[in-house]
Amino acid sequence: MIAIIEKLLNEQVKYEALASMQYLAMASWADCNGYNGVADFFYNQSEEERMHMTKLVKFVNERGGRTIIPSLAQPKLEFSGLSELFSTFLNSEETVTQHINEIIYECLKHKDYNVHNFMQWYVTEQLEEEALARTLLDKLNIIGDDKSGVYLFDRDILEINLNKDE
Ligand code: FEO
């Protein structure tokens, strides 16, 4: 495996792990603040990111590289409300996308079509997750301070989880 690509894939393991821990912290915050639907949503997202991370770990090791399991900084624990929670979600996904794009760039530069092909799954995943984060943030902006709107948002987000699990 090309050294720079191996390094970037290892960094990607860390970004996916950070996203997983951040979403776990967000799920826990939502749980403690009475947003059970939002909590389920982020518990689920946290699991997905862990799966993204593990997929990378296995890929690097299978291709003769070596994964270095990273240490992680503490995620953000406190949020002013759902808008900040979902802004954090969108920012996190945008950051992950940027790093994936860097990997794609290096793959093309070094003609590593094998890793390029593997990374296409992540490109598609990021498109979906960023779109979802934007949609949810748009909904929250419409709802504003309307308490019954927030109640319905927390209830309806459960549907997204159910659809994702199908
Ligand atoms: Fe795996 Fe949503 O980044």
Side-chain angles (χ1 to χ4, degrees), residues 16 19 23 45 48-49 52 93 96 100 122 125-126 129:
E16 303 290 348
Y23 299 161
Q45 288 299 127
E48 279 196 24
E49 298 304 345
H52 297 174
E93 290 303 321
V96 170
I100 286 171
Y122 286 84
E125 193 74 8
Q126 284 313 114
E129 292 196 342

Side-chain angles (χ1 to χ4, degrees), residues 53-94:
M53 176 193 70
T54 309
K55 199 175 160 85
L56 278 160
V57 169
K58 289 182 177 171
F59 179 79
V60 172
N61 292 339
E62 276 165 12
R63 302 298 157 118
R66 170 137 193 254
T67 311
I68 315 291
I69 303 302
S71 61
L72 301 176
Q74 180 148 51
K76 181 174 165 60
L77 301 176
E78 294 299 330
F79 302 88
S80 56
L82 291 186
S83 287
E84 192 187 3
L85 199 72
F86 282 87
S87 297
T88 305
F89 178 39
L90 179 57
N91 289 341
S92 165
E93 290 303 321
E94 285 174 341

